[in-house]
Amino acid sequence: MNMLKKTLLLLGILITLPALAISLDEAKDQGLIGEANSGYIAIVETSSPELVKLVKQVNTKRKSAYAQIAKRNNIDIAQVAARAAEKLEQRLSPGEFYQDNLGRWVQK
């Protein structure tokens, strides 16, 4: 009986773990991450393994997209990322963070 309870508890924890993962929008809304002036996202202040994983996933996808655009237009990926940073900053919602040209975090 005790083993059954432990098994059910473990199963319950495993089922709820994916629900605990934070989305990009939630992290932005909570001020945990922001748009860096590099065209990628970055952690604003307090880090956690979950945030590090999210940032890495998003930035990997962005880098891939930037590389495709750069190749298609025969320009440097840094140019694509810089232009993306400008556009992403313009689309931020009030309260979200972005990094200014001096690297300071600013709340929109």
Side-chain angles (χ1 to χ4, degrees):
M1 189 69 128
N2 194 19
M3 183 64 156
L4 178 60
K5 287 181 184 179
K6 287 181 183 178
T7 303
L8 289 175
L9 177 63
L10 181 60
L11 183 59
I13 291 171
L14 290 175
I15 290 171
T16 59
L17 279 179
L20 296 176
I22 191 166
S23 73
L24 176 61
D25 289 335
E26 291 170 333
K28 281 185 176 182
D29 290 345
Q30 294 175 28
L32 301 172
I33 62 169
E35 292 293 340
N37 57 15
S38 62
Y40 298 94
I41 61 169
I43 296 171
V44 175
E45 282 189 31
T46 307
S47 182
S48 73
E50 184 179 2
L51 283 178
V52 170
K53 183 178 177 183
L54 175 65
V55 167
K56 186 179 280 189
Q57 289 172 342
V58 171
N59 286 341
T60 298
K61 290 177 185 176
R62 284 188 182 184
K63 186 173 186 176
S64 175
Y66 296 166
Q68 289 175 4
I69 294 167
K71 184 177 180 180
R72 188 171 57 238
N73 294 288
N74 198 29
I75 58 175
D76 189 65
I77 191 171
Q79 291 175 287
V80 176
R83 182 69 179 129
E86 293 171 6
K87 288 185 174 190
L88 290 164
E89 181 183 325
Q90 292 171 359
R91 291 191 283 179
L92 289 175
S93 299
E96 293 182 338
F97 285 88
Y98 66 94
Q99 202 174 37
D100 68 12
N101 291 337
L102 298 175
R104 297 174 297 200
W105 287 107
V106 180
Q107 195 170 17
K108 186 168 182 180

